[in-house]
Amino acid sequence: MTKPTQPTVKSAMRTLDIIEYVVGNPSGVAAQDIAAALQIPVSSLSYLLATLCERTYLRREGRRYLAGAGLDRLRMPASAMSIEDRVAPQVRALRRSLNETTSFFTATDWEIEARVTETAEQALRYAVSVGARTPMHCMAAGKAILSSFDEATLARYFAEAPRPLFTPRTIADEATLRDQIAAVHDTGFALTDEEYTLGVCGIARVVRIDGVAVGALAVALPKLRHTAEARAQIMERLTAACAAIDAGA
């Protein structure tokens, strides 16, 4: 008895066909040649090519498309990847599943720096720019990273780091921040409530690889959507994402 053919997704098949066709033409190929060879309408092809270039699976040189660095990353062991490449798939997955702005931050000179970020696709949203640096004390990711410091490093932080007030709710005093850091040790999550931007709350968790803290994953959302149910869902997804990043070591 013949086994029934499984249905295929047309857009996925087209995407794979494009990648395979370009890889099969090492000197590069123009868009009109791809369209003619694969019988893909130019209107559909332009969007697919733009997406593949954005994700670096293809690259464009003039009119020609060639294989991009993203294809090499697919074959690369996780241990050889940059931290951005390691966390980016989880940041994208979190943003899609939660539809809230999701970012990965690392510590830089008593500040946190956004290394990977995906913005929510909602009318009311908070945006983070890659490369943006913010004091640690007022962001959930910063408090999460502070919780990973040993006592000597934490003492240096409180002695050296400026802690400006950004809103009436910014917490800057050492005693209260230490209490919050202790709470992160207990729960695994850092929280902020309008401490950097009025109307915005944050939830973050430390990312560890082989037991070493490498940064923090954070979700920022408007306070009106920061319900107990939303917070529980975000915490669950953050826990799973951090575990997936560590498991990829």
Side-chain angles (χ1 to χ4, degrees), residues 4-128:
T5 303
Q6 293 295 317
T8 59
V9 178
K10 190 173 183 179
S11 60
M13 293 297 290
R14 280 180 169 175
T15 302
L16 294 172
D17 287 342
I18 292 167
I19 293 173
E20 291 175 353
Y21 187 74
V22 172
V23 170
N25 289 269
S27 61
V29 59
Q32 61 266 34
D33 296 327
I34 299 172
L38 301 179
Q39 293 296 292
I40 299 175
V42 174
S43 58
S44 299
L45 180 64
S46 62
Y47 289 112
L48 292 170
L49 288 173
T51 300
L52 288 168
C53 287
E54 180 183 349
R55 298 289 288 272
T56 72
Y57 293 121
L58 299 182
R59 58 189 173 90
R60 185 174 181 177
E61 291 185 359
R63 296 174 58 250
R64 297 177 304 135
Y65 290 88
L66 299 96
L71 297 178
D72 295 329
R73 288 199 304 273
L74 295 178
R75 297 190 297 268
M76 187 183 297
S79 58
M81 292 182 180
S82 69
I83 189 62
E84 291 88 352
D85 289 338
R86 288 282 295 271
V87 304
Q90 295 302 324
V91 171
R92 283 193 292 269
L94 280 167
R95 200 279 301 159
R96 286 173 181 156
S97 65
L98 299 168
N99 199 14
E100 299 292 358
T101 296
T102 305
S103 308
F104 172 73
F105 296 87
T106 56
T108 305
D109 299 329
W110 304 138
E111 294 181 315
I112 55 170
E113 180 179 349
R115 304 286 291 274
V116 181
T117 185
E118 292 273 334
T119 304
E121 294 181 346
Q122 304 206 51
L124 183 60
R125 61 194 176 191
Y126 181 72
V128 178

